[in-house]
Structure formats: structure tokens, C-alpha cells
Amino acid sequence: MQVSKRVILTFPASLAGTPVTYRLVKDYNLVMNILRAKVIPKDEGRLVLELSGEKKDIEAGLIFLKEKGVSIEALAKDIHLDEESCVHCGFCTAVCFQDALSMNPETWKLEFNREKCVLCEQCVDICPMGAIQIKF
Amino acid sequence: MKSFDEINERIKQGKAVVLTAEEVIPLAKEKGIKEVAEKVDVVTTATFGPMCSSGVFLNFGHSDPPIKMNRVLLNDVPAYAGLAAVDVYLGASALSEKEGAFYGGGHVIEELVAKKRIMLRAMGCKTDCYPLEHIETTITIDTINQAILCNPRNVYQNYAAATNSSQRTLYTYMGSLLPRFGNVAYSTSGQLSPLINDPEYRTIGIGTRIFLGGGTGYIIGEGTQHNPGQLKDQNGVPLGPAGTLCVKGDLKQMSARYLRGARIKGYGVSLFVGIGIPIPILDEAMAEAVTISDERIYTSIYDYGIPRRSRPSYGRINYHQLRSGYIKLDDKTVPTNPVSSYAMAREIAAILKDWISNGDFFLIQPVQQLPKDVLLKPMDQNI
């Protein structure tokens, strides 16, 4: 069964030079979408990934990461759009590079496509109504 | 030819034909201007966007002992108190002294309308008739005397679109402008926009009754920075910011759905105001004016990357192109985004249409036309 899972990976400094994600693709046949990455040489690295593939492959891939010393958290964070508060002004669509937030050209109402969202959080401060929030 | 009185008589009899400024466009295409002039009585227009030049006059009633307020805070937002003892003017863009750019006058106005309790703190100057020096209490819109929305500049007749040539993101009242021409932001409701549908101010003038913030209000004059001399195209539409309106209404009848406090990142606080204006179809010239569509309304694109009063222009573009989501700027394809709500403007135009169709709202013939000969001056900086 194909599934997808969003995870936050924290790499110890010692692993910063190791191509760990390559192994996930090559050995575990996983498709990955990097949502966010922060890797500083000689320091801890953080990677937010969406992994898709067979359920058993994802599980095996995550065990591989654990054995390498990578700590794993499930990504429970989500963008929440308060539709009661939204006035469909369009301010947020200016900063959404993924087109996850867009104006419907018929209704001119704001539409949020969660699938496209990479949680960059740019829209959160931009919304004049404070209608977009990060939920944990 | 129809008069205001004849149209009002038809509204009274429940016979008036009322359409929104969007609905009248296909009718004109199908049947022609002449038939629109004959059949349609009123066309409704609307806009819903951030309008910083907005605010409310409040009268709190007198305390015992009385106070002559000279410094007033409402939920920590300062209001102007240089009026009589317990009168103030709270501006939409005034910032909270505690929360800065996250909360301000626009939010207090929205909360007043929503009947929320507001903290009032006032300092006074002690006099024989006003002995109290300090007061702290809470108010709601129902416990005070008047609450009068009075906005010195709303409803711009067209507004320039904005882009950014610089190397960094600019946070402006037109929203975020991304570096290197990353986007173009536009603010007018185009074919629904009130003054674009009456470009010569024939029916919109002093005394016109309007939908204001969910209640009824009135146009009480031209707005500040009214610029009727703006360059016009062959359709008679100004190619940039032109006429403006000063409007007034009783805040106590309004609704928080159509008056929304806003915080605009890197800029400050404002108030989204919903306004709807009816246009009577007096003759064929008015029928022609109200059938204008987005393809025929052009605006200029200004570069906010140059922080000067006169910003360089990147040409003209119509609202049909702006609303398509992308435009060509030189050879680059640039995404566009609105910063005023077309969905809410549509909703307001439809409500005003219902009010008139149901005989709950009558038109007022202006007691005086808006000026057409004033010039917009820059500041005289002379020291």
C-alpha cells in the first residue's frame, strides 16, 4: 500500500557529510519531497521531508535512519486557515510560491490546497486578519 | 430619461429593475445600451478593501464628577481628544501603545461594532467645570452616545498597481512586493468599482445614500486627495488614482462583517471597509457608463522599489489582464494578486441590490456635485 508521511529529521554534526537521503531513495525505493532543509557544517542539521512509498519501505527506511543516529519526529504541524475570518483579499497569495493559496477565478474566494503547502509559513504574518495560523 | 423621483416611485411600487455592475455587462452585450437605459433603473457597485483614512467620532457621555479628556486610550490605542470634553476621534491606523503594529484603531472599531467591551482610559486637565483628572472604565457601543463612522478618504476611483524592481521584499500597504518584479499587486474592484461606473460624478455626489459597513451611510463630500484631473483614456476612465469620497454613517447600525481591523506586515494597522453605491440609470450616457467591463479599465503600474513621491511607471494594464493571474512586464511573466476583496465587493453589491428591490433603500439625488476642477498638490516643503 502506497502511503506518505511527513517527518522532521535532526542529524548529528557527524552525519552532515553523509548522503543519507540518497540511501532512502536508492535502497528503500522512497519518493521524497524536501519541504525544508537547514544544514550547517559542523553543526546539527534539520530536514523536513515528505516520504512516499510502500508502508513497509517507509518503516524500514526510518529504522535505517535511526540506526545512523538521526532523530525522527512525525510532523504534526499544519497550516490552519480560519475560513470565518478570511475576507478573500488576496494578500497571502503574493507570498505563496507553491500556489497552495490561490484565488478561485470564478468565485474570487481564497482556496487552500494543503497538498501543495510546504509549510514555509510566509503567509502567517502576511494575513491582515490573522486568519492563517500554524497548528501543532 | 428618468428622474430620481421616478426611479424612487418604481422602488416604492416594487417594480424597480436593479442589477449589479457585473450583471449589467452581459445584458448590454446582448440587448444593447438603449435597452439597458430603458429597462434598468439602478445598478449597484461596491468595494471592500483596506482604507486607512477611516475613523469614528465617539461621545462617551459625562462622568461624575465630569472630566475634560485630553489624552484618551481605547484598548491602549490613542484617540484624538482635542474636541469637547468627552468627544474623541479614533483613527483606523492609530497603533496600540502596547502591541504596536499588531493592534490598532481598525481593530477597536471592529470590536465596537461587534459589541465587545473596550477599555477606556482617559487623562483630563482639571478645571472648575471639569474637576476629574483621570478615569478608567469600560464601554461598549451600546453604553456610549454617538458612534459615527466618518472616513475622510475612501473609494478611490481607480488605484495604481504596484511592483518592485529592488533586490529585497518590500512590505507596503499594497501587501508584499517581491524583489526583481516578483509580483504585481492591484487594489480596485474594477468593473464593480463605484466611481469607475460614474466617471463624471453625475449621480454620485454630496448627499448620496450608500451601503456603509453593513448599514446605511451618506457621501458628505469629496475625499482628501480628490484628484478629478487625473489623465483619462478614451473610455473616460482615469488611468490612476483620481476621485475620492468622504463618507459618514451611524456605526451602531453597522456589522463587523463589513468593517474589519487589519494588520499589514511592515506597514501598520488599517480598516477594511465595505461600501456599496447605487447608480440610477437616468439616460443612455449612464447606461453606457455602468456597462464598462474590466477589459476597458486600465491602470498604471508603479515601481515601489523607488521610494519617492513620483515612482517610475511600468506602463498600463487593464483589470482583465490583472485578474488573469499573470501579466507581461517587459519580457517577463509576472504573477498578479489582488489586495482588496472582489468576493466581498460582489456580496455587498448583491445586498444593496436586494435592499433596493425590496423597497428598503431609496436613492437620494445629490444636493451638490463633487468638484471637478480641484488640483492635487504635492507638499510645499519650504524650510
Side-chain angles (χ1 to χ4, degrees), chain B residues 7-191:
Chain B
I7 292 172
N8 278 333
E9 188 53 38
R10 288 172 62 78
I11 295 172
K12 199 172 162 187
Q13 292 169 1
K15 288 184 188 161
V17 176
V18 189
L19 296 176
T20 72
E22 273 186 313
E23 292 165 344
V24 76
I25 295 166
L27 180 72
K29 272 192 188 133
E30 202 186 311
K31 308 262 172 155
I33 298 296
K34 207 168 170 215
E35 183 138 345
V36 170
E38 281 166 16
K39 295 272 166 67
V40 182
D41 296 302
V42 184
V43 163
T44 60
T45 62
T47 181
F48 183 85
M51 303 192 198
C52 296
S53 241
S54 300
V56 283
F57 285 105
L58 303 172
N59 177 286
F60 301 120
H62 286 284
S63 57
D64 183 29
I67 183 170
K68 180 171 178 289
M69 298 175 173
N70 68 356
R71 178 169 148 76
V72 172
L73 295 169
L74 290 157
N75 283 356
D76 297 314
V77 179
Y80 178 73
L83 301 166
V86 289
D87 279 341
V88 298
Y89 185 75
L90 172 67
S93 63
L95 298 180
S96 161
E97 292 187 354
K98 289 219 172 113
E99 291 179 67
F102 286 93
Y103 187 89
H107 297 100
V108 176
I109 293 168
E110 178 184 330
E111 288 180 29
L112 270 171
V113 176
K115 298 194 182 287
K116 289 190 182 155
R117 206 156 267 284
I118 308 286
M119 188 71 185
L120 164 66
R121 285 193 295 143
M123 273 58 81
C125 34
K126 190 171 174 170
T127 68
D128 289 342
C129 44
Y130 293 106
L132 197 63
E133 281 181 289
H134 177 257
I135 196 163
E136 225 176 89
T137 186
T138 65
I139 59 157
T140 73
I141 199 167
D142 295 323
T143 64
I144 62 175
N145 290 315
Q146 284 69 28
I148 306 162
L149 189 73
C150 185
N151 304 346
R153 179 165 81 252
N154 284 175
V155 203
Y156 247 118
Q157 182 182 17
N158 215 344
Y159 204 78
T163 191
N164 171 17
S165 66
S166 81
Q167 299 299 308
R168 67 179 183 94
T169 301
L170 301 176
Y171 297 102
T172 73
Y173 59 83
M174 291 293 283
S176 309
L177 300 174
L178 307 177
R180 297 173 291 278
F181 304 103
N183 65 322
V184 169
Y186 60 96
S187 182
T188 306
S189 57
Q191 59 202 14

Side-chain angles (χ1 to χ4, degrees), chain B residues 215-365:
Chain B
T216 54
Y218 299 87
I219 294 169
I220 58 173
E222 81 274 25
T224 54
Q225 293 182 27
H226 181 62
N227 185 22
Q230 176 66 262
L231 192 65
K232 289 182 175 175
D233 66 10
Q234 70 277 13
N235 299 322
V237 179
L239 291 160
T244 66
L245 299 176
C246 180
V247 301
K248 176 244 166 197
D250 177 6
L251 194 74
K252 294 191 180 194
Q253 323 160 6
M254 297 186 195
S255 148
R257 183 168 175 81
Y258 305 104
L259 286 174
R260 295 289 303 275
R263 55 173 166 80
I264 299 174
K265 184 176 175 173
Y267 169 72
V269 169
S270 189
L271 182 71
F272 275 63
V273 182
I275 294 183
I277 303 185
I279 298 181
I281 309 306
L282 304 176
D283 51 28
E284 276 187 45
M286 284 316 299
E288 175 84 48
V290 295
T291 51
I292 192 157
S293 59
D294 281 345
E295 293 86 350
R296 291 197 292 149
I297 307 167
Y298 281 79
T299 195
S300 309
I301 304 169
Y302 287 126
D303 180 7
Y304 280 56
I306 309 293
R308 299 300 298 267
R309 183 174 59 220
S310 291
R311 300 183 173 103
S313 166
Y314 279 85
R316 290 168 192 160
I317 193 90
N318 71 43
Y319 281 91
H320 180 70
Q321 291 165 293
L322 284 167
R323 290 215 171 268
S324 74
Y326 290 90
I327 63 165
K328 281 268 184 200
L329 211 57
D330 294 330
D331 286 331
K332 202 179 165 193
T333 301
V334 179
T336 61
N337 66 277
V339 290
S340 77
S341 176
Y342 198 72
M344 291 293 286
R346 240 182 209 168
E347 180 176 313
I348 292 165
I351 291 171
L352 184 55
K353 174 185 161 173
D354 284 350
W355 285 359
I356 299 168
S357 304
N358 297 338
D360 297 328
F361 185 107
F362 292 88
L363 308 192
I364 293 184
Q365 181 163 9

Side-chain angles (χ1 to χ4, degrees), chain B residues 157 195 198-204 226 228 242-243 369-372:
Chain B
Q157 182 182 17
L195 288 171
D198 184 8
E200 298 298 323
Y201 321 137
R202 284 185 61 207
T203 69
I204 298 177
H226 181 62
Q369 303 305 124
L370 297 175
K372 287 172 77 175

